[in-house]
Amino acid sequence: MSIRTLDDLLGEGVSGRRVLVRADLNVPLDKQTGAITDDGRIRAVLPTLGALVEAGAKVVVCSHLGRPKGAPDPQFSLRPVAGRLGELLGAPVHFATDTVGDSARSTVADLADGQVALLENLRFNAGETSKDDAERGAFADQLAAFGDAYVDDAFGAVHRKHASVFDVPARLPHVAGRLVLREVEVLSRLTGQPERPYVVVLGGSKVSDKLAVIEALLPTVDRLLIGGGMCFTFLKAQGLEVGTSLLEKDMVETCRNLLERADGKIMLPVDIVAADAFAPDATHDTVPANGIPSHRLGLDIGPETVAGFAAALSQAKTVFWNGPMGVFEMPAFAAGTRGVAEAITKADAFSVVGGGDSAAAVRALGLDESSFGHISTGGGASLEYLEGKTLPGIAALEN
Ligand code: 3PG
Ligand code: MG
């Protein structure tokens, strides 16, 4: 990989220079209170920011949060993130109330050496995500004016062809931050020659999101364990009835085709926790996968499935896990995700957890993060990396 790194930049000396850092501070917020429910992505960027602060740079951090539609939207403000980032860095973070306007300009201009500023949400500006090169470029020009050098440490966003990820590095000397380097290093172990058996666990709600990665992984993996909302489309493809469970009807044929080509590598649930409503206190029972009552929906994998998945995982030497096995946010439907996560930690394997939801699940369930080989900050990004796709943010750093 012909990518310059943060150490290269530090070696040139950054004292007094403005360094624009693209981070992925897209953290989950509590719907009611707006409080940050998982600060993993903020902590993940601290090594890069800390090194720049220590070297005396004027550090200008930018990020997106959520999916606002190209205009300011208070529920997606990065202000709470600035507060948390300041606590973790042990020094206040100067917050700009816009991204490239007056507040941003004066905040950046007022930075002293070794101080950190955070700009308001990049996606409050239509130029950030625009499909139009000129519109993105114009926004990238404004952003690039805040830096003498650019560091990409937003691994979770490297699969997006957005101004701050793709166009800014074309305008400034650019390097990969510590997080991006570490993520690429770890994920390349999975695409290279993973130690076998290589077992992949996929969950989450939508098959359509995971189709490309399933296609790409099938030839390489020894076992593919499928749970989460997406398993019902596969069960349907096997000819089973799934009640009112999540079902992507237009994907059934595709799933049938995948199952035919999978050479028995795909393992599906044999039992399901089926509930009468999508609610934490819904009446529920464990039923065999071929006996889901017509008026019920599956919200978790059952204990027999967990045992089967755990047995497969106990053999593994390499594990990649993306996507929860059930609605783990509701305690009644968390056992599947917990069981699989625990089985991964017990396996004598190099394990990688990919995806914001799975990483958040690990922490929300109180599991020990250090018992996993690597917890990726990227969901879509880690999947697209494993698919072998060209990631715009990485490609931009290579140029
Ligand atoms: C993520 O959470 O997957 C990243 O922050 C990217 O966000 P996006 O899917 O809204 O582009
Ligand atoms: Mg995403």
PDB file of all heavy atoms in Angstrom, residues 56-90:
ATOM      1  N   GLY A  56       2.010  19.671  18.630  1.00  0.00           N
ATOM      2  CA  GLY A  56       1.804  21.114  18.527  1.00  0.00           C
ATOM      3  C   GLY A  56       1.032  21.570  17.307  1.00  0.00           C
ATOM      4  O   GLY A  56       1.068  22.755  16.940  1.00  0.00           O
ATOM      5  N   ALA A  57       0.299  20.644  16.666  1.00  0.00           N
ATOM      6  CA  ALA A  57      -0.504  21.042  15.510  1.00  0.00           C
ATOM      7  C   ALA A  57      -1.739  21.814  15.970  1.00  0.00           C
ATOM      8  O   ALA A  57      -2.169  21.706  17.120  1.00  0.00           O
ATOM      9  CB  ALA A  57      -0.927  19.806  14.723  1.00  0.00           C
ATOM     10  N   LYS A  58      -2.295  22.598  15.059  1.00  0.00           N
ATOM     11  CA  LYS A  58      -3.637  23.156  15.250  1.00  0.00           C
ATOM     12  C   LYS A  58      -4.576  22.165  14.592  1.00  0.00           C
ATOM     13  O   LYS A  58      -4.587  22.029  13.366  1.00  0.00           O
ATOM     14  CB  LYS A  58      -3.744  24.523  14.576  1.00  0.00           C
ATOM     15  CG  LYS A  58      -2.767  25.535  15.171  1.00  0.00           C
ATOM     16  CD  LYS A  58      -2.788  26.841  14.415  1.00  0.00           C
ATOM     17  CE  LYS A  58      -1.848  27.814  15.127  1.00  0.00           C
ATOM     18  NZ  LYS A  58      -1.739  29.091  14.444  1.00  0.00           N
ATOM     19  N   VAL A  59      -5.337  21.450  15.415  1.00  0.00           N
ATOM     20  CA  VAL A  59      -6.069  20.287  14.914  1.00  0.00           C
ATOM     21  C   VAL A  59      -7.527  20.656  14.622  1.00  0.00           C
ATOM     22  O   VAL A  59      -8.267  21.063  15.530  1.00  0.00           O
ATOM     23  CB  VAL A  59      -6.011  19.133  15.934  1.00  0.00           C
ATOM     24  CG1 VAL A  59      -6.635  17.876  15.338  1.00  0.00           C
ATOM     25  CG2 VAL A  59      -4.572  18.864  16.367  1.00  0.00           C
ATOM     26  N   VAL A  60      -7.926  20.537  13.374  1.00  0.00           N
ATOM     27  CA  VAL A  60      -9.292  20.854  12.962  1.00  0.00           C
ATOM     28  C   VAL A  60      -9.987  19.543  12.588  1.00  0.00           C
ATOM     29  O   VAL A  60      -9.632  18.908  11.597  1.00  0.00           O
ATOM     30  CB  VAL A  60      -9.297  21.815  11.751  1.00  0.00           C
ATOM     31  CG1 VAL A  60     -10.734  22.173  11.369  1.00  0.00           C
ATOM     32  CG2 VAL A  60      -8.467  23.061  12.054  1.00  0.00           C
ATOM     33  N   VAL A  61     -10.949  19.146  13.420  1.00  0.00           N
ATOM     34  CA  VAL A  61     -11.609  17.860  13.209  1.00  0.00           C
ATOM     35  C   VAL A  61     -12.948  18.083  12.514  1.00  0.00           C
ATOM     36  O   VAL A  61     -13.684  19.019  12.853  1.00  0.00           O
ATOM     37  CB  VAL A  61     -11.845  17.130  14.553  1.00  0.00           C
ATOM     38  CG1 VAL A  61     -12.443  15.740  14.326  1.00  0.00           C
ATOM     39  CG2 VAL A  61     -10.539  17.030  15.335  1.00  0.00           C
ATOM     40  N   CYS A  62     -13.259  17.231  11.543  1.00  0.00           N
ATOM     41  CA  CYS A  62     -14.575  17.283  10.910  1.00  0.00           C
ATOM     42  C   CYS A  62     -15.162  15.879  10.828  1.00  0.00           C
ATOM     43  O   CYS A  62     -14.421  14.893  10.812  1.00  0.00           O
ATOM     44  CB  CYS A  62     -14.506  17.934   9.538  1.00  0.00           C
ATOM     45  SG  CYS A  62     -13.465  17.062   8.345  1.00  0.00           S
ATOM     46  N   SER A  63     -16.490  15.790  10.833  1.00  0.00           N
ATOM     47  CA  SER A  63     -17.180  14.500  10.803  1.00  0.00           C
ATOM     48  C   SER A  63     -18.626  14.701  10.357  1.00  0.00           C
ATOM     49  O   SER A  63     -19.146  15.809  10.378  1.00  0.00           O
ATOM     50  CB  SER A  63     -17.170  13.871  12.200  1.00  0.00           C
ATOM     51  OG  SER A  63     -17.941  12.674  12.216  1.00  0.00           O
ATOM     52  N   HIS A  64     -19.248  13.580  10.002  1.00  0.00           N
ATOM     53  CA  HIS A  64     -20.700  13.598   9.838  1.00  0.00           C
ATOM     54  C   HIS A  64     -21.318  12.969  11.075  1.00  0.00           C
ATOM     55  O   HIS A  64     -20.615  12.341  11.879  1.00  0.00           O
ATOM     56  CB  HIS A  64     -21.124  12.822   8.592  1.00  0.00           C
ATOM     57  CG  HIS A  64     -20.966  11.332   8.712  1.00  0.00           C
ATOM     58  ND1 HIS A  64     -19.742  10.701   8.658  1.00  0.00           N
ATOM     59  CD2 HIS A  64     -21.883  10.354   8.923  1.00  0.00           C
ATOM     60  CE1 HIS A  64     -19.908   9.396   8.804  1.00  0.00           C
ATOM     61  NE2 HIS A  64     -21.200   9.155   8.968  1.00  0.00           N
ATOM     62  N   LEU A  65     -22.610  13.171  11.256  1.00  0.00           N
ATOM     63  CA  LEU A  65     -23.369  12.465  12.300  1.00  0.00           C
ATOM     64  C   LEU A  65     -24.767  12.232  11.735  1.00  0.00           C
ATOM     65  O   LEU A  65     -25.452  13.187  11.353  1.00  0.00           O
ATOM     66  CB  LEU A  65     -23.448  13.299  13.581  1.00  0.00           C
ATOM     67  CG  LEU A  65     -24.292  12.668  14.702  1.00  0.00           C
ATOM     68  CD1 LEU A  65     -23.523  11.576  15.433  1.00  0.00           C
ATOM     69  CD2 LEU A  65     -24.743  13.718  15.716  1.00  0.00           C
ATOM     70  N   GLY A  66     -25.160  10.973  11.670  1.00  0.00           N
ATOM     71  CA  GLY A  66     -26.477  10.655  11.130  1.00  0.00           C
ATOM     72  C   GLY A  66     -26.585  11.011   9.662  1.00  0.00           C
ATOM     73  O   GLY A  66     -25.581  11.132   8.958  1.00  0.00           O
ATOM     74  N   ARG A  67     -27.824  11.154   9.221  1.00  0.00           N
ATOM     75  CA  ARG A  67     -28.037  11.448   7.804  1.00  0.00           C
ATOM     76  C   ARG A  67     -28.941  12.662   7.594  1.00  0.00           C
ATOM     77  O   ARG A  67     -30.007  12.562   6.982  1.00  0.00           O
ATOM     78  CB  ARG A  67     -28.615  10.229   7.091  1.00  0.00           C
ATOM     79  CG  ARG A  67     -27.606   9.090   7.003  1.00  0.00           C
ATOM     80  CD  ARG A  67     -28.144   7.892   6.302  1.00  0.00           C
ATOM     81  NE  ARG A  67     -27.090   6.882   6.146  1.00  0.00           N
ATOM     82  CZ  ARG A  67     -27.304   5.651   5.702  1.00  0.00           C
ATOM     83  NH1 ARG A  67     -28.515   5.272   5.377  1.00  0.00           N
ATOM     84  NH2 ARG A  67     -26.307   4.803   5.599  1.00  0.00           N
ATOM     85  N   PRO A  68     -28.508  13.844   8.110  1.00  0.00           N
ATOM     86  CA  PRO A  68     -29.279  15.054   7.799  1.00  0.00           C
ATOM     87  C   PRO A  68     -29.234  15.291   6.300  1.00  0.00           C
ATOM     88  O   PRO A  68     -28.355  14.774   5.607  1.00  0.00           O
ATOM     89  CB  PRO A  68     -28.526  16.157   8.557  1.00  0.00           C
ATOM     90  CG  PRO A  68     -27.140  15.633   8.728  1.00  0.00           C
ATOM     91  CD  PRO A  68     -27.263  14.134   8.831  1.00  0.00           C
ATOM     92  N   LYS A  69     -30.197  16.076   5.819  1.00  0.00           N
ATOM     93  CA  LYS A  69     -30.388  16.176   4.365  1.00  0.00           C
ATOM     94  C   LYS A  69     -29.732  17.411   3.737  1.00  0.00           C
ATOM     95  O   LYS A  69     -30.353  18.120   2.972  1.00  0.00           O
ATOM     96  CB  LYS A  69     -31.891  16.190   4.061  1.00  0.00           C
ATOM     97  CG  LYS A  69     -32.614  14.928   4.520  1.00  0.00           C
ATOM     98  CD  LYS A  69     -32.556  13.826   3.457  1.00  0.00           C
ATOM     99  CE  LYS A  69     -33.073  12.490   3.950  1.00  0.00           C
ATOM    100  NZ  LYS A  69     -32.028  11.666   4.603  1.00  0.00           N
ATOM    101  N   GLY A  70     -28.502  17.695   4.090  1.00  0.00           N
ATOM    102  CA  GLY A  70     -27.799  18.783   3.415  1.00  0.00           C
ATOM    103  C   GLY A  70     -28.097  20.161   3.970  1.00  0.00           C
ATOM    104  O   GLY A  70     -27.759  21.173   3.359  1.00  0.00           O
ATOM    105  N   ALA A  71     -28.766  20.212   5.138  1.00  0.00           N
ATOM    106  CA  ALA A  71     -29.066  21.491   5.791  1.00  0.00           C
ATOM    107  C   ALA A  71     -28.996  21.271   7.303  1.00  0.00           C
ATOM    108  O   ALA A  71     -29.172  20.137   7.765  1.00  0.00           O
ATOM    109  CB  ALA A  71     -30.454  21.976   5.393  1.00  0.00           C
ATOM    110  N   PRO A  72     -28.749  22.355   8.062  1.00  0.00           N
ATOM    111  CA  PRO A  72     -28.655  22.197   9.517  1.00  0.00           C
ATOM    112  C   PRO A  72     -29.910  21.550  10.100  1.00  0.00           C
ATOM    113  O   PRO A  72     -31.024  21.848   9.670  1.00  0.00           O
ATOM    114  CB  PRO A  72     -28.502  23.638  10.020  1.00  0.00           C
ATOM    115  CG  PRO A  72     -27.858  24.360   8.881  1.00  0.00           C
ATOM    116  CD  PRO A  72     -28.434  23.725   7.634  1.00  0.00           C
ATOM    117  N   ASP A  73     -29.707  20.656  11.051  1.00  0.00           N
ATOM    118  CA  ASP A  73     -30.796  19.936  11.700  1.00  0.00           C
ATOM    119  C   ASP A  73     -30.304  19.630  13.116  1.00  0.00           C
ATOM    120  O   ASP A  73     -29.432  18.785  13.297  1.00  0.00           O
ATOM    121  CB  ASP A  73     -31.081  18.656  10.904  1.00  0.00           C
ATOM    122  CG  ASP A  73     -32.236  17.850  11.483  1.00  0.00           C
ATOM    123  OD1 ASP A  73     -32.609  18.105  12.646  1.00  0.00           O
ATOM    124  OD2 ASP A  73     -32.746  16.960  10.774  1.00  0.00           O
ATOM    125  N   PRO A  74     -30.855  20.380  14.103  1.00  0.00           N
ATOM    126  CA  PRO A  74     -30.291  20.355  15.464  1.00  0.00           C
ATOM    127  C   PRO A  74     -30.140  18.958  16.073  1.00  0.00           C
ATOM    128  O   PRO A  74     -29.226  18.720  16.833  1.00  0.00           O
ATOM    129  CB  PRO A  74     -31.288  21.180  16.291  1.00  0.00           C
ATOM    130  CG  PRO A  74     -32.176  21.867  15.318  1.00  0.00           C
ATOM    131  CD  PRO A  74     -32.006  21.267  13.960  1.00  0.00           C
ATOM    132  N   GLN A  75     -31.027  18.025  15.704  1.00  0.00           N
ATOM    133  CA  GLN A  75     -30.912  16.694  16.321  1.00  0.00           C
ATOM    134  C   GLN A  75     -29.630  15.977  15.890  1.00  0.00           C
ATOM    135  O   GLN A  75     -29.234  14.995  16.510  1.00  0.00           O
ATOM    136  CB  GLN A  75     -32.135  15.836  15.985  1.00  0.00           C
ATOM    137  CG  GLN A  75     -32.302  15.584  14.513  1.00  0.00           C
ATOM    138  CD  GLN A  75     -33.376  14.556  14.183  1.00  0.00           C
ATOM    139  OE1 GLN A  75     -33.473  13.524  14.819  1.00  0.00           O
ATOM    140  NE2 GLN A  75     -34.183  14.863  13.187  1.00  0.00           N
ATOM    141  N   PHE A  76     -28.983  16.479  14.833  1.00  0.00           N
ATOM    142  CA  PHE A  76     -27.744  15.843  14.376  1.00  0.00           C
ATOM    143  C   PHE A  76     -26.518  16.729  14.650  1.00  0.00           C
ATOM    144  O   PHE A  76     -25.478  16.570  14.002  1.00  0.00           O
ATOM    145  CB  PHE A  76     -27.825  15.514  12.883  1.00  0.00           C
ATOM    146  CG  PHE A  76     -28.879  14.495  12.549  1.00  0.00           C
ATOM    147  CD1 PHE A  76     -29.960  14.836  11.745  1.00  0.00           C
ATOM    148  CD2 PHE A  76     -28.792  13.203  13.048  1.00  0.00           C
ATOM    149  CE1 PHE A  76     -30.935  13.887  11.429  1.00  0.00           C
ATOM    150  CE2 PHE A  76     -29.760  12.253  12.748  1.00  0.00           C
ATOM    151  CZ  PHE A  76     -30.838  12.598  11.940  1.00  0.00           C
ATOM    152  N   SER A  77     -26.644  17.657  15.592  1.00  0.00           N
ATOM    153  CA  SER A  77     -25.496  18.514  15.901  1.00  0.00           C
ATOM    154  C   SER A  77     -24.370  17.704  16.536  1.00  0.00           C
ATOM    155  O   SER A  77     -24.608  16.792  17.332  1.00  0.00           O
ATOM    156  CB  SER A  77     -25.916  19.621  16.865  1.00  0.00           C
ATOM    157  OG  SER A  77     -24.764  20.350  17.259  1.00  0.00           O
ATOM    158  N   LEU A  78     -23.151  18.076  16.199  1.00  0.00           N
ATOM    159  CA  LEU A  78     -21.986  17.420  16.807  1.00  0.00           C
ATOM    160  C   LEU A  78     -21.601  18.043  18.151  1.00  0.00           C
ATOM    161  O   LEU A  78     -20.628  17.613  18.767  1.00  0.00           O
ATOM    162  CB  LEU A  78     -20.789  17.482  15.843  1.00  0.00           C
ATOM    163  CG  LEU A  78     -20.752  16.413  14.745  1.00  0.00           C
ATOM    164  CD1 LEU A  78     -19.709  16.766  13.686  1.00  0.00           C
ATOM    165  CD2 LEU A  78     -20.432  15.034  15.346  1.00  0.00           C
ATOM    166  N   ARG A  79     -22.364  19.014  18.629  1.00  0.00           N
ATOM    167  CA  ARG A  79     -21.967  19.684  19.869  1.00  0.00           C
ATOM    168  C   ARG A  79     -21.731  18.710  21.041  1.00  0.00           C
ATOM    169  O   ARG A  79     -20.702  18.800  21.710  1.00  0.00           O
ATOM    170  CB  ARG A  79     -22.974  20.771  20.264  1.00  0.00           C
ATOM    171  CG  ARG A  79     -22.495  21.613  21.437  1.00  0.00           C
ATOM    172  CD  ARG A  79     -23.535  22.613  21.906  1.00  0.00           C
ATOM    173  NE  ARG A  79     -23.633  23.806  21.090  1.00  0.00           N
ATOM    174  CZ  ARG A  79     -22.782  24.832  21.125  1.00  0.00           C
ATOM    175  NH1 ARG A  79     -21.744  24.799  21.919  1.00  0.00           N
ATOM    176  NH2 ARG A  79     -22.973  25.880  20.357  1.00  0.00           N
ATOM    177  N   PRO A  80     -22.665  17.758  21.279  1.00  0.00           N
ATOM    178  CA  PRO A  80     -22.391  16.831  22.389  1.00  0.00           C
ATOM    179  C   PRO A  80     -21.112  16.017  22.189  1.00  0.00           C
ATOM    180  O   PRO A  80     -20.437  15.658  23.154  1.00  0.00           O
ATOM    181  CB  PRO A  80     -23.611  15.898  22.415  1.00  0.00           C
ATOM    182  CG  PRO A  80     -24.499  16.292  21.293  1.00  0.00           C
ATOM    183  CD  PRO A  80     -23.983  17.519  20.645  1.00  0.00           C
ATOM    184  N   VAL A  81     -20.793  15.767  20.935  1.00  0.00           N
ATOM    185  CA  VAL A  81     -19.569  15.007  20.638  1.00  0.00           C
ATOM    186  C   VAL A  81     -18.338  15.844  20.993  1.00  0.00           C
ATOM    187  O   VAL A  81     -17.339  15.320  21.515  1.00  0.00           O
ATOM    188  CB  VAL A  81     -19.555  14.577  19.159  1.00  0.00           C
ATOM    189  CG1 VAL A  81     -18.225  13.948  18.780  1.00  0.00           C
ATOM    190  CG2 VAL A  81     -20.704  13.605  18.879  1.00  0.00           C
ATOM    191  N   ALA A  82     -18.414  17.149  20.734  1.00  0.00           N
ATOM    192  CA  ALA A  82     -17.296  18.031  21.097  1.00  0.00           C
ATOM    193  C   ALA A  82     -17.045  17.965  22.599  1.00  0.00           C
ATOM    194  O   ALA A  82     -15.899  17.908  23.054  1.00  0.00           O
ATOM    195  CB  ALA A  82     -17.589  19.467  20.666  1.00  0.00           C
ATOM    196  N   GLY A  83     -18.137  17.942  23.367  1.00  0.00           N
ATOM    197  CA  GLY A  83     -18.005  17.861  24.820  1.00  0.00           C
ATOM    198  C   GLY A  83     -17.320  16.573  25.242  1.00  0.00           C
ATOM    199  O   GLY A  83     -16.368  16.585  26.046  1.00  0.00           O
ATOM    200  N   ARG A  84     -17.792  15.466  24.702  1.00  0.00           N
ATOM    201  CA  ARG A  84     -17.216  14.163  25.072  1.00  0.00           C
ATOM    202  C   ARG A  84     -15.763  14.052  24.612  1.00  0.00           C
ATOM    203  O   ARG A  84     -14.904  13.532  25.334  1.00  0.00           O
ATOM    204  CB  ARG A  84     -18.065  13.041  24.457  1.00  0.00           C
ATOM    205  CG  ARG A  84     -17.612  11.647  24.810  1.00  0.00           C
ATOM    206  CD  ARG A  84     -17.871  11.327  26.284  1.00  0.00           C
ATOM    207  NE  ARG A  84     -17.282  10.060  26.677  1.00  0.00           N
ATOM    208  CZ  ARG A  84     -16.509   9.890  27.749  1.00  0.00           C
ATOM    209  NH1 ARG A  84     -16.221  10.914  28.543  1.00  0.00           N
ATOM    210  NH2 ARG A  84     -16.026   8.716  28.053  1.00  0.00           N
ATOM    211  N   LEU A  85     -15.488  14.543  23.413  1.00  0.00           N
ATOM    212  CA  LEU A  85     -14.120  14.497  22.894  1.00  0.00           C
ATOM    213  C   LEU A  85     -13.185  15.296  23.807  1.00  0.00           C
ATOM    214  O   LEU A  85     -12.073  14.858  24.117  1.00  0.00           O
ATOM    215  CB  LEU A  85     -14.089  15.051  21.460  1.00  0.00           C
ATOM    216  CG  LEU A  85     -12.740  15.079  20.747  1.00  0.00           C
ATOM    217  CD1 LEU A  85     -12.113  13.690  20.672  1.00  0.00           C
ATOM    218  CD2 LEU A  85     -12.894  15.666  19.338  1.00  0.00           C
ATOM    219  N   GLY A  86     -13.663  16.441  24.264  1.00  0.00           N
ATOM    220  CA  GLY A  86     -12.858  17.259  25.174  1.00  0.00           C
ATOM    221  C   GLY A  86     -12.557  16.519  26.471  1.00  0.00           C
ATOM    222  O   GLY A  86     -11.429  16.546  26.981  1.00  0.00           O
ATOM    223  N   GLU A  87     -13.583  15.845  27.026  1.00  0.00           N
ATOM    224  CA  GLU A  87     -13.368  15.063  28.254  1.00  0.00           C
ATOM    225  C   GLU A  87     -12.302  14.007  28.048  1.00  0.00           C
ATOM    226  O   GLU A  87     -11.419  13.808  28.885  1.00  0.00           O
ATOM    227  CB  GLU A  87     -14.663  14.336  28.657  1.00  0.00           C
ATOM    228  CG  GLU A  87     -15.718  15.204  29.312  1.00  0.00           C
ATOM    229  CD  GLU A  87     -17.069  14.480  29.424  1.00  0.00           C
ATOM    230  OE1 GLU A  87     -17.100  13.226  29.396  1.00  0.00           O
ATOM    231  OE2 GLU A  87     -18.081  15.183  29.510  1.00  0.00           O
ATOM    232  N   LEU A  88     -12.395  13.316  26.913  1.00  0.00           N
ATOM    233  CA  LEU A  88     -11.462  12.208  26.666  1.00  0.00           C
ATOM    234  C   LEU A  88     -10.047  12.717  26.378  1.00  0.00           C
ATOM    235  O   LEU A  88      -9.067  12.078  26.743  1.00  0.00           O
ATOM    236  CB  LEU A  88     -11.965  11.347  25.499  1.00  0.00           C
ATOM    237  CG  LEU A  88     -13.230  10.538  25.808  1.00  0.00           C
ATOM    238  CD1 LEU A  88     -13.867  10.000  24.532  1.00  0.00           C
ATOM    239  CD2 LEU A  88     -12.912   9.388  26.763  1.00  0.00           C
ATOM    240  N   LEU A  89      -9.955  13.875  25.735  1.00  0.00           N
ATOM    241  CA  LEU A  89      -8.630  14.435  25.439  1.00  0.00           C
ATOM    242  C   LEU A  89      -8.040  15.147  26.660  1.00  0.00           C
ATOM    243  O   LEU A  89      -6.850  15.403  26.730  1.00  0.00           O
ATOM    244  CB  LEU A  89      -8.714  15.449  24.284  1.00  0.00           C
ATOM    245  CG  LEU A  89      -8.823  14.907  22.866  1.00  0.00           C
ATOM    246  CD1 LEU A  89      -9.149  16.045  21.896  1.00  0.00           C
ATOM    247  CD2 LEU A  89      -7.519  14.210  22.447  1.00  0.00           C
ATOM    248  N   GLY A  90      -8.925  15.494  27.606  1.00  0.00           N
ATOM    249  CA  GLY A  90      -8.455  16.222  28.789  1.00  0.00           C
ATOM    250  C   GLY A  90      -8.180  17.690  28.496  1.00  0.00           C
ATOM    251  O   GLY A  90      -7.411  18.340  29.203  1.00  0.00           O
TER     252      GLY A  90
END
